[in-house]
Amino acid sequence: MKFWSSLQENRSFWSKWCWKVRKQIVILPFALLFSLSLLTSCNTAPASPLRVAINPWPGYETLYLARSLGHYENTPIELIDFPSAAEEMRAYRNGNVEAMASTLDQALTLATTQSDVRIVTIMDFSEGGDVILAKPEILNLKALKGKRVGVEANALGAYTISRALELADLTPNDIEVVPLGLSEHERAFKDGEIDAVVTFGAARTRISETGAKQIFDSSQIPGEIVDTLVVRQSVLETQSEASQALVKGHFEAREYLKKHPQESAERVAPRTQITPEQFLESFEGLRSPDIQENQTLLGGENPLLLKTARRLVAIMMDNDLLSKPVDPANLLDDRLVKAL
Amino acid sequence: MKQFPFSLKFSIPTILLIFGTVLVGAIVQRETVQSFRRVEKDVSDNARFAGDRLSGMLEYLYRRGDVEQAEVAISKMRNDVNLRLSVLYDEKNRVLLATRYELRDRALQNTPAANRELTFTQVRETLSGQILLSEDKRKIWAIYPVPLKMVPGELRPSRIGTLWLEYDLSLLKQRALKDALQRSLSAAVGLGIFCIAIWFFFEKTLTRRAAKLVAASHNFAKGELSIRAKIGGSDELAQIAKAFNQMAKRIQADTETLQASEIALKQANETLENRVRERTASLKEQKEKLEQTLQELQQAQAQLVQQEKMSSLGQLVAGIAHEINNPVNFIHGNITHTIEYAEDLLKLIELYRYHCRKYVPEIESKIEEIDLDFLSQDLSKILTSMKVGTERIRNIVLSLRTFSRMDESEFKTVDLHAGIDSTLLILQHRFRGNNKLRAIEIVKEYGMLPLVDCFAGQLNQVFMNILANGIEALEESRINPETDSPQIRIRTSVIDKGWVEIAIADNGMGIPESVQPQIFNPFFTTKPIGKGTGMGLAIAYQIVTERHSGKLRCCSTPGKGTELIIQIQIGKKSSKIEPFKSSTRMAKSWDDKLN
């Protein structure tokens, strides 16, 4: 009884209170709605990532430098290490990455199956960075005949070896091709599985340390090995800001590297287990174009790169490296470098 | 909507129920669909990951020529419960490896992936994997390219196999469905409670109070003007209730005022009608009175004229009678003497003739000359007839006098027969016949009448009028000799105690039945215009019935005859006041003169 009466009292009290604050009560639902909308807006899904596939070519280290310098903070840019270019290409094909640091020939190979390949930046020209290292017994390219050569099939390695063989008047049939990913080069050579290897970067450094001889390098085929940054066309449109930041970061890091080489080397060398000096040395084997040169190479009525690219297509067709011809003009996209 | 036809009491819970059911249904459906989608996505992602990884691994292993490891790798796929089947095909679509060993070395057509040949080709060409969802959404397939060992002499692997992974979604979907249903159930319960709460809320604030208002309105409309809606609060319903109460108060007041004024109006109306009725009645009365007065006046006028006529006639007659009376009297007196003297002289002559028998020739020639015998006879005859003549003159004068006593106001006790006779005498000339008309026979059947108290002159007028009518009625039969001889019969008798009856009948043409009721009406006449006043019988009727409180009746048989019967009380002192005082005075004076 008491309970009910007290409840009654409470009720009358409440109704009186409600009466008094009725004007204010009206505001309640609106406040609720407002806070809800705030919450939902705060809880939006984060921006979709811009994943960049990178393999351990020194020319691509500028991206890591840019990241280390903080240019990629507040962006959805993710730099993903891949052990080899073949893996990169697989990842790109399977839709696991939005951008890729890749050589021109790889980009052309991709373009045969993927229609969204866009070359947005020329990172560098390999001039000596790609080499063929061989056991000391093998003195020159001709001596490769009948030997086992480790090649990163499906990737640049194929191009390099075919060009090298060409220069030595040999064909791929004359050698035994052992397909090896970049990450396998060192071990395979050291274990004696292969007699020679088409390699670059850290692997090159380490294999060289074991006493292997360099019988070929990309300076013998200047301008044919072009390192580029490939971004999907859809990503260029939907994540233009991030794409822009990616390219900008590269050029800024390039400047920084020029100005502070030692510091830059110290920032990025440990990632690939080489010393800063070795890193800087490896940078000798490439020539990195600046923004203006990029704009010339990629843009305008007659992009400079087009000639190189067409020639590359022809070579690759001859060497059975392209399943069908590709028109490089469709691949060059200068919108990002133009904006810098 | 213009009209909301449903009662709130039912519509609110119904709407809530429908809304709740629909929402719950929608929730369940959405939950189910979403969970299925999630399952599909999760498994797709799984498949993508597994496909990618496994194909990479297989590629590596095949590149290195490590087929055993490849087998191990593929068998490891059995760890995933939902991954039902993993198959690796070579470049010719023949099974290299499979988690189901019996599939080894089979062609693609003999495997579950039979209808995916096209996808296989695509995958090989693009060197990228595809994730497919079956049409019934129960299976997900991952198809990935696996570059196999290179043929010697090539730098790019041309032999590309295919990895085919099949995931079964049924189990996952079942679990997802169960979860979804559970979630939906809890949501539904929550929703149900919420709806009930809302319903209660509405019931309290809206429905009940609205029902109160509705009831008040109904009762008010039925006529209970003192009903007021008792609804508290300050929301719209309370405002309506307040307005309603004000309105009701006003209507009530107005209605009462209206009713009061209606009653007043009705009363006023009634009063007015009464007044009007009264006025109308009085007007009618007045009208009737006026009409009556007019009629009376007219009657009186006619009567007055008649009376004046009669009075002047009476005056004339009285004058003549008076003038004649004197000479006639002394003639009548002298004749008696003359007769006596003549008889004496004749007797003397007889004596002389008896006694003087001498023959004297002069006397004898004189006797012959005068024819004494004839003379003596004739003389007495002449004298007798002269006496008769004078008597007759005296009778006539007497009748005239009797007749002229009509306006006497004195209620006299008279002999009615004398009056009748005198009247007959006056009309005597009209009874006579000539060569055109037959004479009217007067038959008197007088009874033993006592003397009657009456206005003698007036009764004489009555007799006069009736007899005149009879004469006119007999006019036809007087002309026509083939009819019965015209006759007027006057019969008097005593009937009952104190009443006398005088019946005057003729055997004339009678009165038609249609006319009979009208004969006593003033101004009613069958004679052509100008020939009669139509007042004769009316005056007679008035005299008999009003002056004498008697009865005047008519019996007539058309073609046979008419009889008018007068009945008068014998003894009665009239208290009626004569309206024509002037004539009365005059008549009185003439009567004095006559007497």
Side-chain angles (χ1 to χ4, degrees):
Chain A
M1 231 359 172
K2 259 198 181 160
F3 174 71
W4 278 118
S5 58
S6 69
L7 205 69
Q8 295 262 359
E9 275 172 29
N10 270 337
R11 200 181 64 162
S12 61
F13 166 74
W14 274 114
S15 59
K16 279 195 203 127
W17 181 82
C18 282
W19 186 258
K20 273 192 226 153
V21 302
R22 65 189 184 285
K23 286 224 175 76
Q24 287 86 332
I25 280 184
V26 172
I27 302 175
L28 263 177
F30 287 105
L32 207 68
L33 210 67
F34 182 62
S35 49
L36 262 175
S37 55
L38 268 180
L39 275 170
T40 46
S41 63
C42 286
N43 217 14
T44 47
S48 41
L50 199 158
R51 294 166 293 191
V52 190
I54 308 181
N55 72 338
W57 167 249
Y60 301 147
E61 293 293 322
T62 46
L63 296 172
Y64 285 103
L65 182 60
R67 183 176 77 175
S68 157
L69 291 171
H71 295 309
Y72 295 151
E73 262 167 50
N74 303 327
T75 65
I77 295 169
E78 281 176 35
L79 304 177
I80 305 182
D81 290 308
F82 276 82
S84 67
E87 291 294 307
E88 277 185 292
M89 285 164 73
R90 228 163 64 91
Y92 189 93
R93 285 204 183 97
N94 289 332
N96 292 339
V97 292
E98 282 74 45
M100 185 173 142
S102 153
T103 55
L104 185 56
D105 62 292
Q106 276 161 205
L108 292 169
T109 312
L110 269 182
T112 55
T113 53
Q114 320 284 81
S115 59
D116 63 353
V117 171
R118 294 288 177 273
I119 299 168
V120 296
T121 314
I122 308 298
M123 303 288 279
D124 59 74
F125 294 95
S126 174
E127 291 170 356
D130 289 279
V131 297
I132 300 182
L133 297 173
K135 286 188 180 157
E137 308 88 72
I138 301 168
L139 300 166
N140 51 21
L141 283 174
K142 287 207 197 296
L144 278 180
K145 195 163 182 182
K147 297 286 187 283
R148 294 169 300 168
V149 184
V151 177
E152 192 173 350
N154 273 350
L156 174 65
Y159 181 82
T160 316
I161 193 69
S162 57
R163 285 294 284 129
L165 288 171
E166 232 178 41
L167 288 174
D169 289 322
L170 292 173
T171 65
N173 279 321
D174 297 328
I175 58 169
E176 192 185 326
V177 174
V178 180
L180 288 172
L182 179 65
S183 49
E184 302 164 80
H185 290 180
E186 196 185 335
R187 190 190 51 76
F189 192 82
K190 281 192 178 143
D191 289 349
E193 278 179 35
I194 46 176
D195 304 313
V197 67
V198 181
T199 189
F200 57 86
R204 170 195 167 201
T205 314
R206 285 198 283 273
I207 293 171
S208 299
E209 281 174 359
T210 65
K213 268 188 75 183
Q214 184 174 306
I215 56 173
F216 177 84
D217 67 82
S218 52
S219 60
Q220 289 168 287
I221 43 168
E224 287 180 33
I225 301 180
V226 186
D227 292 297
T228 67
L229 192 61
V230 169
V231 179
R232 287 187 199 270
Q233 196 227 359
S234 53
V235 171
L236 280 178
E237 274 149 28
T238 55
Q239 293 176 281
S240 53
E241 271 175 31
S243 322
Q244 192 69 55
L246 181 67
V247 172
K248 187 157 171 249
H250 158 69
F251 286 107
E252 280 176 357
R254 183 175 165 283
E255 284 302 313
Y256 193 83
L257 179 60
K258 268 219 178 106
K259 287 186 191 139
H260 312 104
Q262 191 63 35
E263 195 205 324
S264 312
E266 272 163 24
R267 278 175 186 261
V268 296
R271 210 185 99 260
T272 46
Q273 285 99 41
I274 53 172
T275 65
E277 291 77 24
Q278 283 169 335
F279 173 73
L280 287 172
E281 205 195 308
S282 67
F283 242 79
E284 307 285 313
L286 56 90
R287 182 178 69 80
S288 172
D290 60 9
I291 297 176
Q292 276 79 8
E293 204 182 332
N294 254 290
Q295 285 169 349
T296 330
L297 285 166
L298 289 175
E301 282 291 318
N302 230 353
L304 222 60
L305 195 63
L306 210 54
K307 200 165 135 209
T308 316
R310 291 222 169 95
R311 221 184 70 184
L312 218 63
V313 171
I315 295 171
M316 287 170 79
M317 288 295 293
D318 282 342
N319 284 314
D320 230 355
L321 294 171
L322 271 183
S323 55
K324 59 182 187 191
V326 172
D327 184 7
N330 298 338
L331 307 180
L332 303 183
D333 192 319
D334 68 336
R335 67 178 94 173
L336 291 183
V337 292
K338 234 168 48 174
L340 289 173
Chain B
M1 50 201 148
K2 254 192 179 168
Q3 301 144 352
F4 193 69
F6 303 112
S7 150
L8 283 178
K9 207 164 45 163
F10 297 120
S11 63
I12 287 181
T14 313
I15 286 174
L16 285 175
L17 206 67
I18 292 172
F19 159 78
T21 314
V22 165
L23 202 62
V24 163
I27 286 174
V28 167
Q29 203 257 351
R30 232 172 66 96
E31 281 289 339
T32 315
V33 164
Q34 268 193 343
S35 55
F36 281 179
R37 288 278 158 291
R38 183 134 296 279
V39 161
E40 284 159 20
K41 179 144 193 317
D42 285 347
V43 173
S44 293
D45 288 345
N46 249 7
R48 185 171 293 122
F49 175 70
D52 201 1
R53 196 185 60 175
L54 187 59
S55 65
M57 192 172 301
L58 288 173
E59 184 194 340
Y60 173 79
L61 290 169
Y62 267 95
R63 185 153 48 82
R64 296 194 51 78
D66 204 339
V67 183
E68 299 89 28
Q69 279 300 324
E71 222 176 290
V72 170
I74 213 165
S75 68
K76 273 210 178 16
M77 298 324 297
R78 271 205 222 130
N79 288 346
D80 190 338
V81 173
N82 298 313
L83 178 56
R84 289 299 153 89
L85 186 57
S86 315
V87 182
L88 177 66
Y89 296 84
D90 67 10
E91 73 277 13
K92 293 199 185 69
N93 286 342
R94 192 163 276 277
V95 176
L96 279 174
L97 300 169
T99 47
R100 257 196 267 153
Y101 293 164
E102 67 269 15
L103 292 172
R104 296 261 178 89
D105 283 332
R106 283 220 201 145
L108 174 61
Q109 280 71 22
N110 298 336
T111 62
N115 52 356
R116 295 277 164 226
E117 196 167 337
L118 186 63
T119 320
F120 277 34
T121 319
Q122 275 177 345
V123 157
R124 286 204 186 90
E125 254 173 57
T126 60
L127 281 181
S128 55
Q130 282 186 28
I131 307 293
L132 300 170
L133 183 62
S134 73
E135 264 164 32
D136 62 0
K137 300 206 191 210
R138 288 177 154 276
K139 292 192 169 51
I140 286 185
W141 298 298
I143 300 171
Y144 275 82
V146 181
L148 299 171
K149 198 165 171 72
M150 287 200 300
V151 170
E154 65 181 9
L155 295 166
R156 213 176 36 108
S158 58
R159 300 195 311 158
I160 308 199
T162 321
L163 175 65
W164 185 84
L165 302 174
E166 180 180 85
Y167 284 82
D168 186 15
L169 298 174
S170 344
L171 210 66
L172 287 174
K173 283 201 169 173
Q174 260 183 341
R175 205 181 305 146
L177 183 67
K178 202 170 89 167
D179 285 345
L181 284 177
Q182 266 185 338
R183 278 200 298 276
S184 307
L185 188 69
S186 44
V189 166
L191 195 69
I193 292 172
F194 177 70
C195 281
I196 291 175
I198 291 252
W199 179 42
F200 269 126
F201 171 72
F202 270 122
E203 183 75 19
K204 246 341 315 256
T205 59
L206 203 64
T207 318
R208 236 178 259 168
R209 289 157 88 230
K212 259 199 235 173
L213 193 59
V214 163
S217 317
H218 269 146
N219 286 336
F220 188 81
K222 271 196 224 153
E224 295 171 29
L225 299 181
S226 54
I227 289 267
R228 298 285 182 269
K230 293 188 199 60
I231 292 175
S234 75
D235 65 340
E236 283 79 356
L237 279 181
Q239 284 174 8
I240 293 176
K242 203 160 95 175
F244 173 83
N245 288 341
Q246 281 177 349
M247 183 178 71
K249 196 163 101 176
R250 191 183 292 180
I251 289 180
Q252 192 180 18
D254 285 350
T255 312
E256 279 167 11
T257 315
L258 193 72
Q259 279 176 348
S261 56
E262 232 183 67
I263 290 173
L265 188 72
K266 219 186 266 180
Q267 277 184 351
N269 211 21
E270 269 178 24
T271 316
L272 194 71
E273 263 187 30
N274 280 344
R275 276 216 207 123
V276 166
R277 227 179 294 134
E278 276 170 31
R279 186 61 68 82
T280 314
S282 82
L283 277 174
K284 212 194 232 175
E285 233 181 79
Q286 278 182 5
K287 177 181 131 192
E288 276 169 14
K289 259 196 216 156
L290 279 171
E291 276 181 356
Q292 201 184 29
T293 311
L294 182 71
Q295 210 179 58
E296 276 176 16
L297 273 173
Q298 281 175 339
Q299 264 187 10
Q301 187 190 39
Q303 206 176 25
L304 185 70
V305 163
Q306 184 88 332
Q307 291 211 354
E308 284 296 318
K309 252 200 272 178
M310 294 300 278
S311 142
S312 43
L313 184 68
Q315 283 174 31
L316 181 71
V317 162
I320 294 176
H322 180 72
E323 292 303 314
I324 292 178
N325 205 33
N326 284 338
V328 162
N329 274 344
F330 66 72
I331 291 175
H332 183 77
N334 288 341
I335 281 208
T336 311
H337 293 307
T338 312
I339 291 176
E340 220 183 284
Y341 296 158
E343 277 187 11
D344 287 341
L345 282 175
L346 281 175
K347 270 189 191 152
L348 187 63
I349 291 175
E350 282 296 318
L351 278 176
Y352 275 121
R353 287 185 68 195
Y354 190 62
H355 292 296
C356 286
R357 298 240 182 193
K358 263 177 155 175
Y359 186 82
V360 183
E362 267 174 271
I363 300 170
E364 292 299 311
S365 68
K366 196 61 169 187
I367 289 170
E368 254 189 80
E369 199 184 307
I370 64 171
D371 199 355
L372 186 68
D373 292 320
F374 177 70
L375 192 144
S376 49
Q377 272 179 355
D378 206 31
L379 187 67
S380 35
K381 276 190 197 165
I382 286 170
L383 286 175
T384 311
S385 78
M386 277 173 72
K387 189 177 179 185
V388 167
T390 54
E391 266 184 33
R392 259 179 99 179
I393 292 172
R394 282 191 75 206
N395 276 342
I396 286 169
V397 168
L398 188 65
S399 299
L400 285 176
R401 274 190 63 205
T402 312
F403 183 78
S404 70
R405 278 196 200 138
M406 61 185 178
D407 287 336
E408 258 178 87
S409 65
E410 283 169 41
F411 206 60
K412 275 196 177 162
T413 312
V414 297
D415 178 16
L416 287 176
H417 290 150
I420 296 169
D421 288 337
S422 67
T423 311
L424 285 170
L425 203 58
I426 291 169
L427 292 169
Q428 198 183 42
H429 68 282
R430 289 188 72 183
F431 298 135
R432 267 191 233 121
N434 50 27
N435 44 358
K436 281 193 201 154
L437 301 166
R438 287 192 284 180
I440 299 174
E441 194 189 335
I442 306 293
V443 177
K444 296 185 199 176
E445 289 168 23
Y446 286 173
M448 293 297 292
L449 282 190
L451 296 176
V452 175
D453 297 332
C454 63
F455 295 104
Q458 289 180 13
L459 280 184
N460 288 344
Q461 193 176 343
V462 170
F463 302 140
M464 168 80 108
N465 291 349
I466 292 173
L467 288 166
N469 283 354
I471 291 166
E472 270 145 25
L474 288 168
E475 206 178 282
E476 264 281 325
S477 60
R478 285 174 88 188
I479 296 174
N480 191 352
E482 281 164 42
T483 57
D484 292 342
S485 59
Q487 196 186 73
I488 290 180
R489 192 180 51 145
I490 303 166
R491 192 168 40 85
T492 65
S493 57
V494 177
I495 50 165
D496 288 346
K497 270 197 204 156
W499 283 81
V500 296
E501 187 180 278
I502 305 128
I504 304 172
D506 64 67
N507 60 352
M509 50 196 202
I511 304 173
E513 273 196 38
S514 57
V515 170
Q516 277 179 32
Q518 297 176 321
I519 56 172
F520 295 119
N521 289 349
F523 307 110
F524 178 79
T525 178
T526 53
K527 293 192 201 140
I529 296 168
K531 284 282 173 195
T533 57
M535 291 298 293
L537 280 179
I539 291 169
Y541 190 81
Q542 199 189 27
I543 290 168
V544 168
T545 53
E546 283 179 39
R547 298 252 174 278
H548 295 88
S549 309
K551 296 174 194 158
L552 178 56
R553 223 177 56 240
C554 166
C555 299
S556 176
T557 313
K560 283 269 166 78
T562 310
E563 185 173 34
L564 281 144
I565 302 165
I566 305 161
Q567 289 170 347
I568 302 177
Q569 283 177 311
I570 293 171
K572 181 177 174 250
K573 276 287 176 202
S574 170
S575 57
K576 282 205 169 129
I577 302 169
E578 193 66 43
F580 305 107
K581 290 191 183 128
S582 56
S583 330
T584 309
R585 238 182 279 131
M586 242 192 259
K588 205 163 179 211
S589 70
W590 278 115
D591 198 49
D592 290 338
K593 269 198 192 159
L594 284 171
N595 287 337

